[in-house]
Structure formats: C-alpha cells, structure tokens
Amino acid sequence: MLLIQCPYCDEALPELEFAYAGEAHIARPADPSALSDEEWRDFLFIRTNTRGPHFERWRHIHGCGQFFNAVRDTVSDRFLMTYKAGEPRPVLNALEAAE
Amino acid sequence: MSRYRIPGKGRVDPSAPVTFTFDGRRYQGLRGDTVASALLANGVHLMGRSFKYHRPRGAVTAGSEEPNALIGTSRGPGRFEPNTRATVQELRAGLVTESQNKWPSLAFDIGAVNDRAYMLFSAGFYYKTFMWPRSFWDKVYEPFIRAAAGLGKSPTEPDPDTYASRNLHTDVLVVGGGAAGISAALVAARSGARVVLVDENPEMGGSLLSDPSIRIDGQGSWAWLADQLSQLRAAGVKLMTRTTAIGYYHQNMLGLVERVTDHLDQPPQGAPRERMWHVRAQQVILAQGALEKPLVFDGNDRPGVMLAGAAQTYLNRYGVKVGDCAAVVTSHDSAYYAAFDLVDAGGRVAAIVDTRPTVRADLVEATRKRGIELLTGHTATATYGRLRVKGVRVNPVSGSRVGAGRKIACDALLISGGWTPSLHLFSHTKGSLRWDAESRTFLPDHKTEACQIAGAGRGLWGYGPALEDGVKAGMAAANALGRNATPTGARVEGDRPGTGTSQKELPTDRSAGKAKAFVDFQNDVTAKDIRLAVREGMRSIEHVKRYTTNGMATDQGKMSNINGLMIAADALGKEPPQVGLTTFRPPYTPTSFGAFAGYHKGATFELTRKTPIDPWAEAHGAVFEPVSLWRRAWYFPKAGEDMHAAVARECRATRASVGMFDASTLGKIEVAGPDAVEFMNRMYTNPWTKLAPGRCRYGLLLGEDGFIRDDGVIGRLSQDLFHVTTTTGGAARVLNMMEDYLQTEWPDLDVWLTSTTEQWATVAVNGPNARKVLAPLVEGLDMSDAAFPHMSVAECRVAGLPARLFRISFTGELGFEINVPARHGLALWKAIHEAGQAYDICPYGTETMHVLRAEKGYIIIGQDTDGTVTPQDAGLDWAIGKAKKDFVGKRSLSRPDIVAPNRKQLVGLLTEDGSKLEEGAQIVLDPNQKLPMTMAGHVTSSYDSTALGRPIAMALIQGGLSRMGETVHIPMPNGTIRAKVTSTNFYDPEGERLKA
Ligand SMILES: [Zn+2]
C-alpha cells in the first residue's frame, strides 16, 4: 500500500484514504460550444497513458476531501511529488534529477 | 521412544509425548516435533503421492519450502485444511492428518499408472494431449485431469475460526531470526531504534538450531542463542515467531502472517487462528538465509531421498535419524557436515559421493577419520526401491565419459545441489538480481526500497561471515535512521564454511530420455520436460516455465527454479542470466484466505446501513433487500402472503387510498452559498435561475460525455440554498463529482456542499388520501392544492417535529415527502402510521415503489439507464435547459454519435399474450432471421401492474421512439414473445391524479 502525501493535510497517509481521479492538467474548456467535435472528443477521451512520470489527480476522499495533483511514475508506482490543485505543472527534469 | 529417535538429541521434549494420527493410524511424537519429524521418528517416509504421476513421495525438506509432504489436517467440523506442509505443522495432541492425492491407499495407488503413461504428461501436455476432439473435453479429458491431478480436497464447510488483522509501525523490521538477523536486530536495537524481528519457525535461531556443535564467543551455539534472545528482549526488540513475512510492498510495507493457534492442543476461547500484520518499517533487513537445492538425477524423488540440510535438521533439532544407513550425493561442502553429525550421533553413512573432482582437504580428512567412503568426481544415475529408497547407483565421471555404475545400499539418501539465496521478498520489491558466475547463483543487486540484505541471502556462507554481515546491516539501518550504532564482534569456533556448484542434471550412462530426474517435485517436472520445451521452441525462461509448469506449484519453485534454469540454459547454449529468472510474487508461502479476509467476513464483510425506520420495518415483518450498502424494506407480507400478493396489495392500497414508504436512503446534498444557483445551473441540465424559493424541480445530471449519471428532485429553500436529492446508490458519486467541479474547475464559485443523507429521515406518503392523513399533523403550512401545489417545498412542523416538506410524487399519486432530523425519523413514521389508520394507510417497500413508478414511466438510474443513455434516449429532453449556454455534458449532446439516428431509446412494451417479460431479455425486430440474430435492444424493467391489470415493461430499443405501435419480438427458451411498443407512461398519462 502506498503512502501518499496530501498537500493540504501536509502528511503522508495510507492509500486507502485516497481516490484516484484521472489525468491532471486537463482543464475543462471555458466555452465547450466553441470546440469542434474532434477537439471535444480529445478533451473527453484522449489521455497520455504515460510510461514513466504521470501527472494525475487524487482526492483525499476519506480525509480533508481535497482534490490535488501528483506526479507518479507508472513503472515504479512511486510518487515523485504531490501539489495543490491549481498550482503549475512541475518541471519533470528537475524532479527526476532529485530522485 | 520411537525407533529412529536418538535419546538426548534435539530440542524436542522427551518427557512430553504427543499422540496424533496419520491416515487413521496412531503415532506418538514429542512436544516440539513437526508432523514430518514425528513420522520420520516412527520410520515413516512415505507421506504423499505426487501431483501428476502419483509417485510415492516423502518429506524432502524440513521447512516451509517443502514440495512433497502436503497433508490434510483437521480439528473438528469446518476445521479441515488441505495442503498443509507436514514439515511446518507442529504436533499437537489429537491432531488428525491424512495424506493426499492417493486412491485407494497411500501405499497402493491406482493413479500411479500415470507414471507409466509418462508420454501423455510430458511438457506441454495440457496443450497437446487433450487437444482433440472438442467433444472429448467435458466427458473424457476434464474428468480425467481432475481425477488424476490436483492437490488436497477443498474444505466443504464454512470456516468457524476467526482471523485477526493488526497494523504495526516500526523503525526496523528484520526478517529471519538466524545468525545474521539476530546480530542485525541487536545492533539496530542498541542504537535506540524500535526493532521487530520475525521468523516463520516456532523458535528463533535459523540454522543455528541445526548446528549445535558451533561455538560462538566461547559458548555452544544454543547457549549463545538463548543469551542473544534475552539480550534482544532486554533491548526492547519485539520477537515474533511462527510469523511469515509473505509479501514486501511499496514504501517498506510488509505483510506478516502469524500462526496463533494451529500448534496448540486447546486454543483459548475466542483466539484468532491467524493474524495478519500490516507492517510499515523505516528500514527493512532481509536475513532470510538460503534454500538448499536437490541434485537432478533419475529417481531423485523416492521416499527416503532428502536434502542433506534437512537430514541435519531432523537429527539436531528433532533428534531423529532419517535412516539406519545413509548415503550422500552432493556438489556442496555443506552435505559433509550433515554426514559428520549423523555419524557422530551414532548413525551410519555408507558413502559420500561428490560430483566435484576435488574436495577441500580438511573435509577429506574428516570423512576418512569417520570411516566414511568418499567418492569424488562421481555422478548418481539411479535409485533403487519403491516406497522407500534402498540404494543409489553411482558412476565415476572422467571428462564427459561416465564409467560403470555401482550400487550403494542405503535407506536414506541425502542430496545437496548447493544453496539458493532466498530473495523472494527482495524480488517482490522489483529489486534487481545479478548473476554471480563464481557461485553460479543470483545475488541481490539494485534495491528499490530502504532495505539491507544480510548473510546467506547474499551468498555468504558460514556463521562468522553471517554474524559480521548482520552487524553491518544493523549498523546501516541505524545510520539511515540517523542513529549511531556500535559494531560488535563475535568469535566463531568450529565454523562450517562451504562452497559448491550449481549444475544441470547429473551426467548418466543410461538413456537420458528414460530418466525420471525431477526438477520440480510438486508439479512433477523432469529435466527431460525442460529440454523438450526448449526443443519445441521455448526460448525465455518465462515460456519454459509456463510450458512445463516448472516453478508454478504452491512452493513457487523454491527448490526448482535454479535447477530448471541451469538445464534450460544448457539446452539453449546460453549463460543462465541470458535466459533469465522468473519473478517471485507474494505470498512467500501459501496463505489461508482467512488471513487475507481478516475481520471482513460474515456480518462484518461489509457494513449494512440501516435507516432510523428500519427497526419498525423489522418488527412488522418486512422482507429486506440490499440496495448499495443499505438494507431496505422490500415488501411487508401479511400472514399467508407471498411476495406477489403482498406487492399487489401494497400497490392497490396506495392507489386506492394512501401508502407510506421509507425513503430515507435517498441521497441528500445541501448546496448552499451566494453562487449556489450558478453552480446548479452548471452541474444539472435544468434551468434553476427562475425556480422560486419554495418550489422543486426534477434534476438531471449528466457526465461530460452526455450520458445520464443521476437524477432526483431538487428543492430551492431560499435564494442561496438548494436541497438536492440523488439516487440511493449515487449519493457519494454525485457529491464527489460536485466537489470535483467546485474545487478544480470553478474554485471562484462561493458554494458549500454538505452531505445530509444520514441527517434527514424521509417518509413518502402517496395516494389520494395523502393530504387527509398529513394535514392534521402539519403546523405552519397551508397544504391546500392552491397554496402548496405539486412540486412545492416548505419548512414547517410535522407531528411536532421540524420538517422539510416536499409535495412530490414518484408514484403518480398525490404525494408528499417529509424530511425530519434522522433522530426523529422513527417518531415521524409512527405518527403518520397512526394518523393514517383511518384511511387504512399501507406501509410499502421498494418493490411496490418500483411498480408504481414504472406504471408512470419514471426511470431508475442504473436499471433503465446503463451509462450509455442520453436525455434524448430516455425521453427526458424536456429536462434540458435549452437556453443555457453550458452545463456539464451539454457539448456532448451534439456529438455525431449522440445525434445519430437509431440510438437505443426508452419505450414501453406490452406483450400480446399478456405474459410478463424477463428483465434483460433481448429484443429482435425480425424473429425469422438467421442465427445469430441482430439484437435491437433489451428489456430494462418488467412488472405485474395491478393498476393496469396486466404486465408492463420498459425497454431500450433502437429507434424506439419512432416505433410506437410496432410489434417487436423477444425470443425466449420456450418460444418467441410478441410485444407492442408503447409510451412508458402507462397509467394516468394526463397526470390528473397528481393534482388531487
Ligand atoms: Zn488531506
């Protein structure tokens, strides 16, 4: 079982308290009606399916209830970092260097 | 004293005999014995029949890696366990054991003909032998395979035992209580770290228990061990025996299974049988030692053939000699010490046969001194005997030439093909392994977790090096924790250093094709099978493994993996690391389902949510059904009524007068704040801006993909407060979805979301007399149709209780839903029930609710929808706020596939013959088409309607809304049913009854 650092609670807590919530940094378009069918399809369904560091969302559902972002390596299943929703996407190189 | 017990030897208690049975025969062992050691003390080697060929087998090890001696154990009804390793199960008074995989008896087994039908069962036999014809599968092949193969019988009764589960946090977890583990634990503990030391055996000590002649720091090894254990206790180390580390997971989490009662004569009342420990450790030290490998040669599986280290353990730990006259075949120095101990204890060893041309001089000298014949540069080519080994055939080898064979008589054959570091747990962490060409074994390399590996687990041999390495590992763990550790040293006298080789099957002068040289004893895989797999094109060890099943038995190839790899590599002409090693997976040893389930069984398998009104329903004979985690009253049968009669009565009573229903499980979410209406506009399809406080609306929630996710009536209590209801099963999902949008897409909205599902109890009162029942109970509200029309909501008092009163209907009748704080729910229910007596008020359950709503065509999310149904498909276009620029899912409603013609749409169905359709039944347009037919849809809801006097159904049918009046066909096993497509609004289509 993973330990996940909730950036709101500022504590590493067992995976059981959290729920996965899909890929991160996919903002809902401000005006969906302005999107072509293809653009809307991509927003709905197209995901990166990364092998390696993956930007994804989690929710501390059995804790503070907050959604937050994480970078998790899909090969090692290791969390490289977690950060609050709305914070900018971290630079990968720096993260990997820190590993 | 049993025939093979040596007085004064071993750690068993000679003053404490323990009686047990094996295959119905009574035997006596001693306290401290395992079943295997006790049977061996009685001269019993034959303990089981092998998996595929039903060959007679005996215990080949003395530990948890045992592949052969699997037995059934029992302790009364429901407490039968198959496949228990006789080498692990401790003796307890009255233990009943039986051998497995034999018929009619262990000594005479009919299935052993498989042994002669060898060709049928060679590598890949599942893929070849049972290929053709298809019709043979059910009647011939499968029964044959099931009868022939298989392990023990599954228990047939529920397990009455309990299983516990605990969490444990520690600084250092040391796995393995041998020399390395003990020294590591002590060093780490003395640095101030919290340390836990676990071992799967009943006592700590590891191989020290089998090596009493070693002297450490001037003491005998057992005295030293006792002293170390008391020092560990003094240093605060938690010592856990009979505890197996079964899995090593992320971030230093390990699963430990503790066997709590299986060794006890009388388990204490209420004690759990096993306890699963979830351990999170800052640092882990793996000191699991090494496992001995067999040598691979013809007949190496006969009862009486066992690993040399096992024989040494039976002798020194249990005081049992495994035979009157042993012979040894080895490629590792360690087997010499087993032979020496046996002779020193008064046993006989006919010869030591070493595959290596030269042997260390001191071993040669010690062999000679004990009068044991030594044959170096030899091979073993056969064993003699049937149910017990009677001799071994050995031949000199020079170069590639195998000389003439010679028989050495023996009743026990001790073999050793060297040792494999036990790296299973390390492998669970995806730690990488490195091939060590010199020792011809895999050693730990790159680590992924905060762990140390110490002792024989990383290829070190002898107590001196193991102790030293343990100290290093303990210091490394302490230093990683930021603590200062002081190194300790230990002086070992009479150490038993050793080296050896790993090799392929031994050379033979006989036809290798006829040899039954076993690699995997549990799955009956021979050297020939592995070579055949390579000949038939298997290149990777993963393929060889699956084709031959080598290493796939419950012992996960603890004895067989390296030998299998050596043979496969030789057949492929490659070095072993190029062929690769298969991955070990948890659990390390077979683990009971009970240990995994822990408390999650029976009534505590999952929680049951009950409403405040549940006790009344139970007292009034309700039949319950589970709805998500809730238990809900399904129907309230009166004496003599079946479900059909009860539901028909409840339906009639509600439509004729008045019914009451516990709707407390409905999900409820309070949406509050200055931007509440904006939030509702964005989440739900409906327009909310113009909904006045005091009014309600049916709300429809889509996913961003345009498919229906949830629905429910939503009341606006004030400008900034909405009382949202959701489906019973959807409450948590809807709240999660709302929070997601609020937190991450629209954090600018000033809105608060609160789950109130369990804070409100809800009673629905429906029927033409609903107002007459309620009005006398209501204070502070004019309930007249004019003042409080359909789709109204108000705060008032009902039966003296603070309430939110909705005028809404899920039945098509005049209806009210009264919400009161949950603690008053039962009082409200009773008050309404009492007030309703004048109108014969009828409590009804979920089934009647379903029938009444279906008569009106009201959908149930998840029953009439399945995640691919749009508002248009469900005939709910009217619930869409067309003027709204955006809401969740709106953009998708114009996607090409959503607006495409011929989507499945929700319609009503009335059968022509008046029969009731089966929910889930498939619908076709042309019943005469060829098979397989093109399915046009399926039945989603189907009920007997008392109001209509006939069955009704709802269905999703391609282009259904344009097929009104058409006939569709439902092919069933007893013929095709014809049904007419209708509106789903079967009853009171004008909605007059709502206005009552
Ligand atoms: Zn949190």
Side-chain angles (χ1 to χ4, degrees):
Chain A
M1 191 180 351
L2 298 168
L3 289 174
I4 300 175
Q5 177 80 19
C6 174
Y8 293 91
C9 296
D10 196 22
E11 199 177 347
L13 295 157
E15 190 183 341
L16 286 177
E17 295 189 13
F18 298 83
Y20 182 68
E23 188 167 353
H25 300 294
I26 299 174
R28 187 175 192 271
D31 180 8
S33 70
L35 269 60
S36 69
D37 284 339
E38 288 70 29
E39 288 167 333
W40 183 248
R41 173 202 63 199
D42 290 355
F43 163 71
L44 284 180
F45 302 122
I46 304 302
R47 297 295 180 264
T48 58
N49 196 24
T50 307
R51 187 179 195 279
H54 183 241
F55 295 86
E56 60 193 26
R57 304 182 329 130
W58 286 77
R59 186 181 182 205
H60 192 190
I61 191 162
H62 301 298
C64 65
Q66 293 291 314
F67 284 84
F68 58 89
N69 292 329
V71 190
R72 184 179 57 96
D73 189 313
T74 58
V75 177
S76 66
D77 206 13
R78 227 159 258 281
F79 279 80
L80 306 183
M81 75 174 296
T82 57
Y83 52 104
K84 291 179 180 174
E87 289 182 359
R89 185 190 183 100
V91 180
L92 261 187
N93 292 346
L95 273 179
E96 281 163 343
E99 259 289 272
Chain B
M1 191 66 72
S2 306
R3 162 94 164 66
Y4 290 90
R5 189 84 65 178
I6 302 174
K9 293 286 284 183
R11 298 174 70 84
V12 289
D13 183 353
S15 67
V18 179
T19 303
F20 69 106
T21 69
F22 176 64
D23 280 345
R25 237 187 106 176
R26 288 167 68 84
Y27 292 96
Q28 205 171 71
L30 298 176
R31 182 72 61 197
D33 262 328
T34 62
V35 172
S37 68
L39 286 173
L40 291 173
N42 286 279
V44 177
H45 275 257
L46 177 61
M47 296 185 198
R49 286 273 174 175
S50 75
F51 179 67
K52 215 156 61 174
Y53 304 124
H54 289 230
R55 286 170 69 92
R57 293 279 170 83
V60 67
T61 74
S64 67
E65 70 273 30
E66 174 61 33
N68 284 345
L70 306 184
I71 54 171
T73 63
S74 52
R75 190 197 309 255
R79 292 189 165 92
F80 174 79
E81 185 182 77
N83 307 325
T84 304
R85 287 143 296 164
T87 51
V88 172
Q89 176 64 52
E90 292 169 66
L91 221 51
R92 63 176 187 240
L95 175 65
V96 176
T97 67
E98 63 179 49
S99 62
Q100 299 183 162
N101 215 18
K102 85 298 179 170
W103 188 84
S105 77
L106 191 54
F108 177 76
D109 173 48
I110 291 220
V113 294
N114 290 1
D115 198 15
R116 273 163 235 151
Y118 175 82
M119 280 319 294
L120 281 176
F121 292 92
S122 59
F125 77 100
Y126 281 110
Y127 308 106
K128 295 177 198 158
T129 310
F130 304 111
M131 277 288 282
W132 196 260
R134 168 65 185 86
S135 58
F136 270 41
W137 257 109
D138 303 340
K139 295 267 158 55
V140 182
Y141 295 151
E142 195 182 319
F144 180 75
I145 293 173
R146 284 191 189 285
L151 295 166
K153 291 176 294 192
S154 285
T156 52
E157 292 153 305
D159 185 348
D161 281 316
T162 57
Y163 296 81
S165 170
R166 291 274 291 274
N167 289 310
L168 179 66
H169 294 261
T170 184
D171 294 330
V172 181
L173 173 68
V174 183
V175 181
I182 286 171
S183 59
L186 196 54
V187 167
R190 285 183 175 155
S191 78
R194 287 176 305 161
V195 178
V196 177
L197 174 62
V198 300
D199 195 282
E200 62 177 345
N201 289 288
E203 55 178 336
M204 297 285 176
S207 59
L208 285 169
L209 300 171
S210 307
D211 266 328
S213 68
I214 306 287
R215 295 186 70 79
I216 307 173
D217 287 340
Q219 290 176 292
S221 63
W222 289 359
W224 180 85
L225 175 61
D227 179 52
Q228 292 287 300
L229 293 177
S230 58
Q231 290 192 41
L232 285 168
R233 283 188 200 97
V237 174
K238 183 178 172 71
L239 299 172
M240 300 173 73
T241 52
R242 297 189 180 90
T243 304
T244 306
I246 59 161
Y248 190 161
Y249 309 93
H250 286 295
Q251 286 159 298
N252 271 359
M253 178 161 182
L254 285 92
L256 314 178
V257 175
E258 180 185 3
R259 302 187 302 280
V260 183
T261 60
D262 272 2
H263 63 289
L264 299 175
D265 296 345
Q266 260 319 318
Q269 197 68 34
R273 179 174 172 237
E274 292 174 348
R275 183 180 289 122
M276 176 78 83
W277 293 84
H278 304 256
V279 182
R280 186 78 69 173
Q282 299 289 316
Q283 292 285 316
V284 170
I285 297 171
L286 299 174
Q288 295 176 275
L291 296 170
E292 198 169 15
K293 295 187 293 268
L295 288 165
V296 180
F297 58 95
D298 187 26
N300 64 342
D301 65 326
R302 215 170 289 287
V305 181
M306 72 165 62
L307 296 171
Q312 188 183 330
T313 293
Y314 286 119
L315 176 71
N316 290 318
R317 205 164 132 192
Y318 302 102
V320 174
K321 58 176 178 175
V322 296
D324 288 319
C325 178
V328 176
V329 183
T330 184
S331 65
H332 195 278
D333 298 341
S334 62
Y336 286 75
Y337 298 111
F340 299 164
D341 284 358
L342 205 50
V343 170
D344 296 349
R348 269 194 62 210
V349 175
I352 297 177
V353 180
D354 202 313
T355 65
R356 299 169 295 178
T358 53
V359 181
R360 234 169 57 209
D362 63 302
L363 290 177
V364 175
E365 172 59 21
T367 306
R368 192 198 55 75
K369 205 177 78 190
R370 287 175 175 85
I372 306 170
E373 184 182 7
L374 176 62
L375 300 168
T376 54
H378 270 63
T379 182
T381 50
T383 59
Y384 304 94
R386 197 174 73 84
L387 300 179
R388 175 77 183 266
V389 69
K390 284 182 178 155
V392 59
R393 183 172 181 268
V394 300
N395 316 48
V397 179
S398 76
S400 60
R401 216 187 67 78
V402 177
R406 163 193 159 194
K407 177 178 172 178
I408 298 172
C410 61
D411 63 352
L413 181 60
L414 317 188
I415 57 175
S416 179
W419 298 75
T420 309
S422 186
L423 292 168
H424 299 69
L425 290 181
F426 180 71
S427 199
H428 296 173
T429 68
K430 294 187 180 167
S432 64
L433 303 178
R434 159 180 76 79
W435 176 250
D436 185 68
E438 195 191 337
S439 63
R440 295 186 68 74
T441 191
F442 285 100
L443 297 178
D445 194 17
H446 178 70
K447 295 185 285 195
T448 64
E449 295 286 344
C451 69
Q452 314 292 330
I453 299 109
R458 59 185 202 93
L460 299 173
W461 206 250
Y463 291 99
L467 287 166
E468 200 178 310
D469 204 41
V471 169
K472 274 192 213 157
M475 293 194 46
N479 292 340
L481 293 165
R483 296 178 180 278
N484 287 322
T486 316
T488 54
R491 187 170 42 88
V492 179
E493 297 162 73
D495 204 353
R496 294 178 154 184
T499 58
T501 60
S502 293
Q503 52 204 331
K504 57 188 171 74
E505 69 270 47
L506 296 184
T508 180
D509 57 335
R510 292 179 165 179
S511 160
K514 289 205 176 113
K516 280 171 191 147
F518 284 90
V519 179
D520 185 322
F521 288 61
Q522 206 182 355
N523 265 356
D524 270 353
V525 179
T526 63
K528 202 184 85 172
D529 289 325
I530 291 174
R531 291 192 179 274
L532 182 64
V534 169
R535 272 206 307 282
E536 295 187 349
M538 308 301 140
R539 289 294 172 267
S540 144
I541 196 68
E542 296 287 355
H543 295 153
V544 172
K545 165 180 165 175
R546 280 157 186 80
Y547 200 61
T548 61
T549 71
N550 192 58
M552 287 173 70
T554 61
D555 63 350
Q556 277 198 64
K558 289 189 178 73
M559 279 171 49
S560 63
N561 273 356
I562 296 293
N563 282 338
L565 175 61
M566 294 298 154
I567 296 164
D570 182 68
L572 286 163
K574 289 181 177 172
E575 273 301 298
Q578 293 173 282
V579 183
L581 187 63
T582 54
T583 310
F584 298 108
R585 309 215 182 267
Y588 175 69
T589 48
T591 304
S592 69
F593 285 116
F596 285 112
Y599 304 113
H600 302 282
K601 65 170 199 172
T604 49
F605 176 64
E606 61 179 7
L607 65 88
T608 300
R609 301 174 78 181
K610 294 178 184 175
T611 75
I613 296 154
D614 182 273
W616 190 95
E618 185 169 303
H620 288 75
V623 176
F624 292 94
E625 69 163 340
V627 179
S628 66
L629 289 177
W630 293 96
R631 80 163 195 173
R632 300 192 71 180
W634 196 8
Y635 55 98
F636 291 84
K638 291 195 168 172
E641 276 185 342
D642 62 5
M643 178 175 174
H644 187 265
V647 171
R649 172 182 51 74
E650 291 172 13
C651 286
R652 270 195 307 274
T654 303
R655 293 225 185 274
S657 176
V658 63
M660 61 191 296
F661 175 67
D662 178 5
S664 303
T665 66
L666 275 184
K668 300 172 239 0
I669 300 167
E670 196 116 318
V671 178
D675 296 321
V677 70
E678 175 61 20
F679 179 75
M680 290 301 295
N681 276 331
R682 293 186 194 184
M683 288 304 302
Y684 280 80
T685 63
N686 322 66
W688 300 97
T689 309
K690 289 181 184 160
L691 183 73
R695 300 290 296 160
C696 323
R697 181 162 282 168
Y698 170 78
L700 191 61
L701 183 70
L702 308 182
E704 219 46 281
D705 53 16
F707 298 127
I708 296 173
R709 290 290 195 281
D710 203 77
D711 69 353
V713 170
I714 295 165
R716 189 171 194 177
L717 292 162
S718 63
Q719 283 298 331
D720 56 3
L721 181 61
F722 288 84
H723 178 115
V724 173
T725 66
T726 73
T727 58
T728 292
R733 238 178 2 248
V734 172
L735 181 62
N736 186 67
M737 183 174 165
M738 286 182 171
E739 280 287 353
D740 192 351
Y741 278 90
L742 183 60
Q743 289 181 29
T744 67
E745 298 292 351
W746 311 315
D748 52 310
L749 292 186
D750 194 355
V751 174
W752 293 87
L753 304 171
T754 309
S755 166
T756 54
T757 302
E758 301 214 331
Q759 280 63 41
W760 294 110
T762 308
V763 180
V765 181
N766 282 265
N769 288 321
R771 188 186 288 107
K772 289 180 198 156
V773 171
L774 279 180
L777 300 175
V778 171
E779 300 164 59
L781 179 73
D782 177 358
M783 281 185 77
S784 69
D785 188 52
F788 196 62
H790 185 54
M791 298 307 263
S792 295
V793 59
E795 291 183 298
C796 59
R797 295 186 84 80
V798 179
L801 305 165
R804 283 183 183 172
L805 178 62
F806 287 73
R807 181 172 167 192
I808 49 176
S809 174
F810 200 44
T811 61
E813 302 295 332
L814 170 65
F816 298 90
E817 284 184 14
I818 307 101
N819 294 270
V820 296
R823 63 185 180 280
H824 300 311
L826 189 54
L828 174 73
W829 177 270
K830 286 177 176 168
I832 295 171
H833 187 251
E834 196 183 317
Q837 288 311 307
Y839 302 93
D840 290 329
I841 195 165
C842 176
Y844 65 89
T846 49
E847 187 65 17
T848 290
M849 178 269 283
H850 273 105
V851 176
L852 298 178
R853 67 89 200 176
E855 288 171 346
K856 288 297 298 171
Y858 298 149
I859 64 166
I860 299 271
I861 303 292
Q863 178 170 341
D864 303 303
T865 69
D866 62 2
T868 67
V869 177
T870 66
Q872 297 101 312
D873 298 340
L876 295 170
D877 306 54
W878 56 266
I880 292 174
K882 306 269 183 323
K884 288 205 295 182
K885 190 162 178 300
D886 192 17
F887 55 80
V888 173
K890 179 179 167 71
R891 175 65 184 82
S892 285
L893 298 182
S894 56
R895 273 169 53 207
D897 48 327
I898 301 291
V899 297
N902 223 26
R903 285 185 61 80
K904 286 181 184 169
Q905 293 164 328
L906 193 67
V907 294
L909 283 184
L910 294 174
T911 54
E912 288 186 2
D913 63 357
S915 63
K916 186 179 146 201
L917 292 171
E918 218 169 277
E919 288 176 357
Q922 295 293 322
I923 297 162
V924 301
L925 300 178
D926 170 13
N928 300 316
Q929 61 187 301
K930 277 201 302 196
L931 298 177
M933 294 191 185
T934 303
M935 292 172 287
H938 67 277
V939 177
T940 62
S941 291
S942 179
Y943 305 95
D944 283 314
S945 164
T946 47
L948 282 94
R950 57 157 302 142
I952 57 170
M954 289 156 78
L956 283 165
I957 300 181
Q958 281 174 3
L961 294 173
S962 59
R963 294 188 191 278
M964 290 298 146
E966 284 182 23
T967 299
V968 294
H969 305 266
I970 300 96
M972 297 299 290
N974 297 324
T976 298
I977 302 169
R978 293 164 58 85
K980 198 172 76 175
V981 178
T982 69
S983 153
T984 56
N985 195 346
F986 297 99
Y987 182 69
D988 183 28
E990 304 307 320
E992 293 300 325
R993 302 180 68 87
L994 287 173
K995 298 169 192 158

